[in-house]
Amino acid sequence: MIKELVHDPIFLSAKSEKATQEDIETANDLLETLIAHKVTCVGMAANMIGVKKCIIAFQDNDSYMVMFNPEIIKQSEPYEAEEGCLSLLDKPRKCIRYKNIKVKWESKEFKPKIKTFTGFSAQIIQHEIDHCNGILI
């Protein structure tokens, strides 16, 4: 189900809780909401739809991915980026991102996964993991 976006910075600044198999429906809602906003958005975290669980959904090239409990375990090549966010209605802000990241997460079946991401996909993942950690750009 497509959900309404949260814009409350106090709510968005709270750290998300670990996701469990009981949160599959939240992940489905998150993905549907992201796809509904695909013209202006490439990634979302569950707190953006009002659920404080550590789940992200994002566009990875031509497909979409969902990650439960993602964590960056390695990063390299920092650079300055400028990002906007559907939850924050003001102008884009500067931040530091990394060109290469290694992420561990759990799949929808809660199987552990590890993969290295680069470029724009890496930037999106970093932004959404920041949301899970209560960090707003």
Side-chain angles (χ1 to χ4, degrees):
M1 176 186 300
I2 298 169
K3 299 290 187 174
E4 193 169 323
L5 298 178
V6 172
H7 300 287
D8 179 1
I10 294 171
F11 180 87
L12 295 168
S13 294
K15 190 170 180 173
S16 296
E17 299 172 8
K18 184 174 175 140
T20 67
Q21 289 181 325
E22 295 173 4
D23 298 309
I24 296 292
E25 190 61 37
T26 295
N28 293 335
D29 291 345
L30 183 62
L31 187 56
E32 285 184 40
T33 304
L34 173 59
I35 291 169
H37 290 274
K38 68 182 177 184
V39 172
T40 57
C41 186
V42 293
M44 286 188 178
N47 64 354
M48 293 174 68
I49 60 167
V51 181
K52 289 183 188 176
K53 291 291 185 155
C54 197
I55 307 167
I56 67 171
F58 61 97
Q59 188 173 354
D60 183 31
N61 299 314
D62 294 332
S63 63
Y64 288 93
M65 285 188 72
V66 174
M67 294 179 170
F68 291 82
N69 306 311
E71 179 185 343
I72 297 169
I73 56 175
K74 189 174 181 182
Q75 56 196 22
S76 65
E77 297 187 57
Y79 66 97
E80 189 175 284
E82 190 170 273
E83 299 176 354
C85 181
L86 284 183
S87 289
L88 302 173
L89 301 175
D90 54 354
K91 64 183 178 183
R93 299 176 187 184
K94 291 184 180 181
C95 58
I96 299 298
R97 295 292 181 216
Y98 295 86
K99 290 182 183 177
N100 307 295
I101 60 171
K102 184 182 275 189
V103 182
K104 76 175 184 178
W105 76 96
E106 294 167 317
S107 67
K108 280 191 171 185
E109 296 78 28
F110 281 81
K111 302 262 191 253
K113 302 273 189 178
I114 295 178
K115 182 177 176 181
T116 298
F117 293 87
T118 61
F120 192 50
S121 292
Q123 184 175 347
I124 298 165
I125 293 166
Q126 291 169 81
H127 180 104
E128 302 315 329
I129 289 176
D130 278 355
H131 267 294
C132 291
N133 292 322
I135 298 168
L136 302 176
I137 60 159

mmCIF file of all heavy atoms in Angstrom, residues 24-42:
data_model
loop_
_atom_site.group_PDB
_atom_site.id
_atom_site.type_symbol
_atom_site.label_atom_id
_atom_site.label_comp_id
_atom_site.label_asym_id
_atom_site.label_seq_id
_atom_site.Cartn_x
_atom_site.Cartn_y
_atom_site.Cartn_z
ATOM 1 N N ILE A 24 7.740 -7.633 7.082
ATOM 2 C CA ILE A 24 7.689 -7.845 5.624
ATOM 3 C C ILE A 24 6.661 -6.913 4.975
ATOM 4 O O ILE A 24 6.918 -6.328 3.924
ATOM 5 C CB ILE A 24 7.359 -9.321 5.288
ATOM 6 C CG1 ILE A 24 8.479 -10.243 5.771
ATOM 7 C CG2 ILE A 24 7.090 -9.497 3.796
ATOM 8 C CD1 ILE A 24 9.782 -10.117 5.049
ATOM 9 N N GLU A 25 5.502 -6.746 5.592
ATOM 10 C CA GLU A 25 4.468 -5.880 5.021
ATOM 11 C C GLU A 25 4.947 -4.429 4.951
ATOM 12 O O GLU A 25 4.667 -3.727 3.973
ATOM 13 C CB GLU A 25 3.169 -5.972 5.831
ATOM 14 C CG GLU A 25 1.988 -5.294 5.156
ATOM 15 C CD GLU A 25 1.645 -5.905 3.791
ATOM 16 O OE1 GLU A 25 1.743 -7.132 3.629
ATOM 17 O OE2 GLU A 25 1.295 -5.126 2.879
ATOM 18 N N THR A 26 5.692 -3.992 5.969
ATOM 19 C CA THR A 26 6.268 -2.642 5.930
ATOM 20 C C THR A 26 7.208 -2.507 4.740
ATOM 21 O O THR A 26 7.187 -1.492 4.031
ATOM 22 C CB THR A 26 7.020 -2.328 7.237
ATOM 23 O OG1 THR A 26 6.086 -2.307 8.319
ATOM 24 C CG2 THR A 26 7.737 -0.990 7.174
ATOM 25 N N ALA A 27 8.020 -3.521 4.491
ATOM 26 C CA ALA A 27 8.933 -3.500 3.346
ATOM 27 C C ALA A 27 8.159 -3.417 2.032
ATOM 28 O O ALA A 27 8.547 -2.673 1.123
ATOM 29 C CB ALA A 27 9.835 -4.728 3.361
ATOM 30 N N ASN A 28 7.079 -4.158 1.934
ATOM 31 C CA ASN A 28 6.241 -4.100 0.724
ATOM 32 C C ASN A 28 5.643 -2.711 0.535
ATOM 33 O O ASN A 28 5.632 -2.171 -0.577
ATOM 34 C CB ASN A 28 5.139 -5.157 0.781
ATOM 35 C CG ASN A 28 5.686 -6.571 0.707
ATOM 36 O OD1 ASN A 28 6.763 -6.808 0.169
ATOM 37 N ND2 ASN A 28 4.950 -7.510 1.262
ATOM 38 N N ASP A 29 5.140 -2.120 1.627
ATOM 39 C CA ASP A 29 4.585 -0.762 1.565
ATOM 40 C C ASP A 29 5.664 0.246 1.169
ATOM 41 O O ASP A 29 5.418 1.154 0.365
ATOM 42 C CB ASP A 29 3.990 -0.352 2.914
ATOM 43 C CG ASP A 29 2.740 -1.124 3.282
ATOM 44 O OD1 ASP A 29 2.140 -1.785 2.409
ATOM 45 O OD2 ASP A 29 2.353 -1.071 4.473
ATOM 46 N N LEU A 30 6.858 0.078 1.724
ATOM 47 C CA LEU A 30 7.964 0.979 1.414
ATOM 48 C C LEU A 30 8.303 0.920 -0.072
ATOM 49 O O LEU A 30 8.451 1.961 -0.732
ATOM 50 C CB LEU A 30 9.179 0.596 2.262
ATOM 51 C CG LEU A 30 10.417 1.477 2.130
ATOM 52 C CD1 LEU A 30 10.131 2.903 2.578
ATOM 53 C CD2 LEU A 30 11.560 0.882 2.944
ATOM 54 N N LEU A 31 8.392 -0.274 -0.615
ATOM 55 C CA LEU A 31 8.708 -0.437 -2.029
ATOM 56 C C LEU A 31 7.607 0.151 -2.917
ATOM 57 O O LEU A 31 7.894 0.862 -3.885
ATOM 58 C CB LEU A 31 8.935 -1.912 -2.355
ATOM 59 C CG LEU A 31 9.437 -2.219 -3.760
ATOM 60 C CD1 LEU A 31 10.728 -1.475 -4.075
ATOM 61 C CD2 LEU A 31 9.627 -3.717 -3.924
ATOM 62 N N GLU A 32 6.352 -0.092 -2.578
ATOM 63 C CA GLU A 32 5.246 0.481 -3.359
ATOM 64 C C GLU A 32 5.264 2.002 -3.313
ATOM 65 O O GLU A 32 5.012 2.663 -4.324
ATOM 66 C CB GLU A 32 3.906 -0.035 -2.832
ATOM 67 C CG GLU A 32 3.594 -1.462 -3.222
ATOM 68 C CD GLU A 32 2.213 -1.895 -2.760
ATOM 69 O OE1 GLU A 32 1.264 -1.080 -2.844
ATOM 70 O OE2 GLU A 32 2.097 -3.047 -2.307
ATOM 71 N N THR A 33 5.564 2.557 -2.141
ATOM 72 C CA THR A 33 5.612 4.013 -1.996
ATOM 73 C C THR A 33 6.769 4.585 -2.806
ATOM 74 O O THR A 33 6.616 5.613 -3.484
ATOM 75 C CB THR A 33 5.719 4.403 -0.511
ATOM 76 O OG1 THR A 33 4.624 3.807 0.207
ATOM 77 C CG2 THR A 33 5.684 5.914 -0.331
ATOM 78 N N LEU A 34 7.922 3.934 -2.764
ATOM 79 C CA LEU A 34 9.067 4.375 -3.552
ATOM 80 C C LEU A 34 8.732 4.365 -5.040
ATOM 81 O O LEU A 34 8.989 5.349 -5.749
ATOM 82 C CB LEU A 34 10.280 3.473 -3.286
ATOM 83 C CG LEU A 34 11.506 3.709 -4.174
ATOM 84 C CD1 LEU A 34 12.028 5.134 -4.048
ATOM 85 C CD2 LEU A 34 12.593 2.699 -3.834
ATOM 86 N N ILE A 35 8.145 3.289 -5.521
ATOM 87 C CA ILE A 35 7.802 3.194 -6.941
ATOM 88 C C ILE A 35 6.782 4.271 -7.331
ATOM 89 O O ILE A 35 6.861 4.848 -8.413
ATOM 90 C CB ILE A 35 7.318 1.771 -7.281
ATOM 91 C CG1 ILE A 35 8.505 0.797 -7.173
ATOM 92 C CG2 ILE A 35 6.691 1.713 -8.660
ATOM 93 C CD1 ILE A 35 8.129 -0.669 -7.218
ATOM 94 N N ALA A 36 5.869 4.588 -6.419
ATOM 95 C CA ALA A 36 4.886 5.641 -6.690
ATOM 96 C C ALA A 36 5.547 7.011 -6.840
ATOM 97 O O ALA A 36 5.008 7.897 -7.495
ATOM 98 C CB ALA A 36 3.843 5.678 -5.586
ATOM 99 N N HIS A 37 6.733 7.169 -6.231
ATOM 100 C CA HIS A 37 7.464 8.446 -6.288
ATOM 101 C C HIS A 37 8.700 8.350 -7.186
ATOM 102 O O HIS A 37 9.612 9.177 -7.070
ATOM 103 C CB HIS A 37 7.888 8.864 -4.876
ATOM 104 C CG HIS A 37 6.762 9.271 -3.999
ATOM 105 N ND1 HIS A 37 6.260 10.551 -3.985
ATOM 106 C CD2 HIS A 37 6.021 8.563 -3.116
ATOM 107 C CE1 HIS A 37 5.263 10.615 -3.120
ATOM 108 N NE2 HIS A 37 5.091 9.421 -2.585
ATOM 109 N N LYS A 38 8.744 7.367 -8.087
ATOM 110 C CA LYS A 38 9.960 7.104 -8.861
ATOM 111 C C LYS A 38 10.425 8.273 -9.726
ATOM 112 O O LYS A 38 11.599 8.356 -10.065
ATOM 113 C CB LYS A 38 9.790 5.848 -9.704
ATOM 114 C CG LYS A 38 8.799 5.971 -10.830
ATOM 115 C CD LYS A 38 8.668 4.659 -11.573
ATOM 116 C CE LYS A 38 7.609 4.765 -12.648
ATOM 117 N NZ LYS A 38 7.414 3.485 -13.312
ATOM 118 N N VAL A 39 9.551 9.183 -10.048
ATOM 119 C CA VAL A 39 9.949 10.335 -10.864
ATOM 120 C C VAL A 39 10.863 11.273 -10.073
ATOM 121 O O VAL A 39 11.765 11.893 -10.639
ATOM 122 C CB VAL A 39 8.702 11.095 -11.388
ATOM 123 C CG1 VAL A 39 9.083 12.395 -12.067
ATOM 124 C CG2 VAL A 39 7.913 10.205 -12.323
ATOM 125 N N THR A 40 10.668 11.353 -8.756
ATOM 126 C CA THR A 40 11.424 12.304 -7.943
ATOM 127 C C THR A 40 12.244 11.650 -6.834
ATOM 128 O O THR A 40 12.877 12.354 -6.050
ATOM 129 C CB THR A 40 10.468 13.319 -7.282
ATOM 130 O OG1 THR A 40 9.500 12.601 -6.506
ATOM 131 C CG2 THR A 40 9.781 14.182 -8.313
ATOM 132 N N CYS A 41 12.250 10.321 -6.759
ATOM 133 C CA CYS A 41 12.900 9.660 -5.622
ATOM 134 C C CYS A 41 13.543 8.344 -6.064
ATOM 135 O O CYS A 41 12.948 7.587 -6.824
ATOM 136 C CB CYS A 41 11.861 9.403 -4.539
ATOM 137 S SG CYS A 41 12.545 8.739 -3.011
ATOM 138 N N VAL A 42 14.748 8.063 -5.537
ATOM 139 C CA VAL A 42 15.455 6.826 -5.883
ATOM 140 C C VAL A 42 15.669 5.905 -4.678
ATOM 141 O O VAL A 42 16.176 4.806 -4.830
ATOM 142 C CB VAL A 42 16.810 7.134 -6.560
ATOM 143 C CG1 VAL A 42 16.594 7.770 -7.923
ATOM 144 C CG2 VAL A 42 17.680 8.011 -5.671
#
